[in-house]
Amino acid sequence: MEQIEKLREIINGSDNIVFFGGAGVSTESGIPDFRSVDGLYNQKYDYPPETILSHTFYRHYPEEFFRFYKDKMLCLSAKPNKAHRKLAQWEREGRLKAVITQNIDGLHQAAGSKRVLELHGSVLRNYCQKCGKFFDAEYMLCAEGVPVCDDCGGRVKPDVVLYEEGLDQKTLSDAVSCISKADVLIVGGTSLVVYPAAGLIDYYQGDKLILINKTPTARDHAANLVVSGSIGEIFGVL
């Protein structure tokens, strides 16, 4: 396939690649996508997922929030796929400078990536809102009802960015810096509709913008190379 050959040539010729990824990177590990045809947004619940995963809902209806969160967001049995592993390999080889992800599953780190900027946080980190004590994801999964701190009894909140909450400014600033300095920017597995994250690619100043996705995105016209298909399969042959 001509696009694959072009992609391979660009990657082999660079030592300053940044990868920006979304939900499509993790769907091949069995983690549901929010916006695909069979994603969470098209399943039926008492409330829409956007409502449940909002800061307001978390505050006012914590039991319902955590019932959904534990059922649908904690996919702790998921394993890294070919895309995660290839990115970690490129980092070891000195080609890849950073992974910027909208995902909260920790699979990039599980695959061996070291420089991972998590725009929306991680389900693997959870903190007591009262005393700040740290709890892992297994604690959250096993907790009855609303997870509370075993020291002070405060509510334990996942370190994930809910709707109505702002992104971490340090993470956002680091992402902008990485993208603006990149020679090659590969954007994969994202529909590029969630802002402010989707706006990050506007900071790219190079001429090797690569978009990899199963379906067209709103930014395809701006890309130097568009590769359609499964990101795991595509990365698996590189």
Side-chain angles (χ1 to χ4, degrees):
M1 184 178 174
E2 188 183 345
Q3 280 96 341
I4 300 286
E5 284 305 316
K6 282 184 184 173
L7 178 57
R8 184 181 288 117
E9 189 178 316
I10 290 170
I11 289 162
N12 288 342
S14 178
D15 61 359
N16 185 8
I17 302 168
V18 169
F19 178 81
F20 175 60
V25 179
S26 291
T27 50
E28 291 165 57
S29 292
I31 293 179
D33 174 14
F34 276 23
R35 288 180 175 76
S36 64
V37 173
D38 56 351
L40 288 180
Y41 277 32
N42 291 287
Q43 298 177 23
K44 301 298 180 189
Y45 297 96
D46 291 343
Y47 300 89
E50 307 101 304
T51 300
I52 298 174
L53 296 175
S54 70
H55 181 79
T56 299
F57 195 93
Y58 166 79
R59 277 180 40 237
H60 293 297
Y61 307 101
E63 294 85 2
E64 186 74 10
F65 171 89
F66 278 108
R67 192 162 53 140
F68 177 89
Y69 179 80
K70 285 185 262 191
D71 187 32
K72 296 296 179 185
M73 309 301 287
L74 288 178
C75 306
L76 302 187
S77 61
K79 304 293 183 193
N81 60 50
K82 291 176 182 177
H84 299 107
R85 293 195 294 271
K86 181 60 71 171
L87 289 164
Q89 176 191 323
W90 289 342
E91 185 182 44
R92 289 193 300 272
E93 293 171 351
R95 300 182 189 282
L96 185 84
K97 299 304 182 191
V99 168
I100 301 165
T101 182
Q102 294 172 281
N103 298 331
I104 57 175
D105 48 50
L107 290 179
H108 285 293
Q109 292 93 328
S113 288
K114 306 296 184 192
R115 176 81 162 136
V116 182
L117 302 177
E118 296 172 312
L119 295 174
H120 296 155
S122 173
V123 299
L124 304 184
R125 298 187 300 270
N126 307 274
Y127 299 95
C128 173
Q129 292 187 280
K130 200 170 175 183
C131 73
K133 183 177 178 180
F134 170 85
F135 294 90
D136 62 19
E138 284 77 10
Y139 184 89
M140 304 296 280
L141 194 61
C142 296
E144 291 288 332
V146 178
V148 294
C149 177
D150 55 6
D151 274 356
C152 75
R155 189 192 298 177
V156 180
K157 183 181 185 293
D159 186 18
V160 298
V161 179
L162 302 176
Y163 289 99
E164 304 168 345
E165 294 180 344
L167 301 189
D168 178 77
Q169 288 305 301
K170 170 81 165 60
T171 305
L172 200 56
S173 172
D174 288 349
V176 167
S177 176
C178 289
I179 287 173
S180 64
K181 294 172 184 172
D183 172 37
V184 177
L185 177 61
I186 303 175
V187 180
T190 173
S191 52
L192 291 174
V193 296
V194 178
Y195 282 81
L200 285 173
I201 68 171
D202 293 332
Y203 291 94
Y204 178 60
Q205 301 174 42
D207 59 359
K208 299 181 185 73
L209 173 60
I210 300 162
L211 298 187
I212 304 172
N213 204 43
K214 285 184 176 178
T215 56
T217 77
R219 306 300 288 271
D220 284 4
H221 67 280
N224 302 102
L225 178 64
V226 176
V227 186
S228 299
S230 151
I231 190 163
E233 291 174 11
I234 292 165
F235 276 25
V237 299
L238 291 174

